[in-house]
Amino acid sequence: MSYLDIGAASTPMTCLLLLANLLRRPLRTLAALGSARTRRTGEPSRLIQLGQALRLIREMKRRGITHLHAHFISEPGDVAEWMNRLAGINYSISAHAKDIYLSSSEALRDKIQRASFVVTCTEYNRRHLQRIAAPGTPILRVYHGLDGTRFRSLANSAEPAQGGDPLILSVGRLREKKGFPTLIEACHLLA
C-alpha cells in the first residue's frame, strides 16, 4: 500500500500531461474530456482534478501501482474517475455521509458504475447507494471500529490502571460533530 501526495498541478503542467496522455491514448482522452464537458460544467475544481489525475497516472505507472482507493466519493472520487477515464486505472471508493448526501445522484452513479467496489460505514448508506447505482458494482458495508472480542485476552492480561479507575479512549478530530463534548459530559455524569 502506498500513499502519494500529488498536490495541485499547475496549469502548464496539466497541459503538458494532458498532451502526453492524448498522444498515448487519443480516443480514451478525447472521450474523457467529452464526458467531463457534458457533466458538471462550470466547476473550477475540474481543472485541478484533471491535473491531479494526470499526475497520479504518471506516478502510479512509474511505481507499478494498478489500483487506487479514494477515501471519499466526492472530490477524491472525481480524481479516481478521471484516472479511470483517461488511463483505465481501476479504483474503489469509500463513501461517507457528507459526500454521499451532498453529491448529486448522477455524479454518484457515474463514479459507482466505474468503481471496482464501494465501501460505506452504515447499512442506511449502503441501501441508499444501492438504489442510486446501476446493477453490477458491489457496495459493501464495513462498520468503523474494531471487534473488541479479538482483544479480550489483552484486556484480561493487562494490569489495572493506577487506582483501579476505568480508562476510556476516544480517537477523532476535535470537531463538535465528533461528539467529544458529549463524551466529556457523559464521563462527568458517570463520576
Side-chain angles (χ1 to χ4, degrees):
M1 186 177 287
S2 290
Y3 172 77
L4 302 174
D5 181 11
I6 49 121
S10 66
T11 303
M13 172 66 86
T14 298
C15 291
L16 286 173
L17 291 171
L18 184 58
L19 180 60
N21 205 75
L22 184 61
L23 293 172
R24 260 187 251 119
R25 305 170 192 93
L27 296 178
R28 187 178 275 282
T29 304
L30 291 173
L33 293 173
S35 71
R37 199 173 72 70
T38 60
R39 193 181 78 179
R40 292 180 255 157
T41 57
E43 293 182 28
S45 65
R46 295 297 284 164
L47 180 61
I48 293 169
Q49 292 167 355
L50 171 63
Q52 290 173 329
L54 289 163
R55 288 181 66 191
L56 271 170
I57 289 166
R58 182 182 66 181
E59 191 62 26
M60 288 177 68
K61 296 284 185 191
R62 189 178 73 75
R63 293 185 187 200
I65 300 170
T66 59
H67 183 90
L68 175 81
H69 182 79
H71 189 64
F72 291 97
I73 201 167
S74 55
E75 289 85 4
D78 287 338
V79 173
E81 183 187 10
W82 267 116
M83 291 175 54
N84 179 268
R85 288 180 182 275
L86 289 165
I89 293 176
N90 292 325
Y91 69 93
S92 52
I93 308 171
S94 293
H96 302 277
K98 180 182 176 186
D99 53 327
I100 293 172
Y101 300 105
L102 295 179
S103 298
S104 73
S105 294
E106 176 195 9
L108 292 172
R109 186 175 17 264
D110 289 348
K111 287 180 263 194
I112 291 169
Q113 181 178 350
R114 300 184 83 80
S116 299
F117 64 90
V118 176
V119 175
T120 190
C121 55
T122 69
E123 183 60 21
Y124 185 86
N125 290 350
R126 191 194 69 74
R127 286 188 192 139
H128 177 74
L129 292 170
Q130 198 68 63
R131 281 191 297 273
I132 291 171
T137 302
I139 300 176
L140 312 168
R141 182 201 67 234
V142 178
Y143 289 125
H144 293 306
L146 301 171
D147 178 359
T149 60
R150 296 181 66 198
F151 301 97
R152 191 155 290 161
S153 63
L154 289 173
N156 292 339
S157 67
E159 293 190 27
Q162 187 176 6
D165 291 333
L167 174 67
I168 297 174
L169 171 67
S170 183
V171 178
R173 292 181 296 134
L174 291 176
R175 297 282 183 257
E176 185 177 351
K177 69 180 182 178
K178 298 298 180 181
F180 287 107
T182 305
L183 175 63
I184 292 167
E185 179 61 28
C187 290
H188 175 74
L189 293 173
L190 286 171

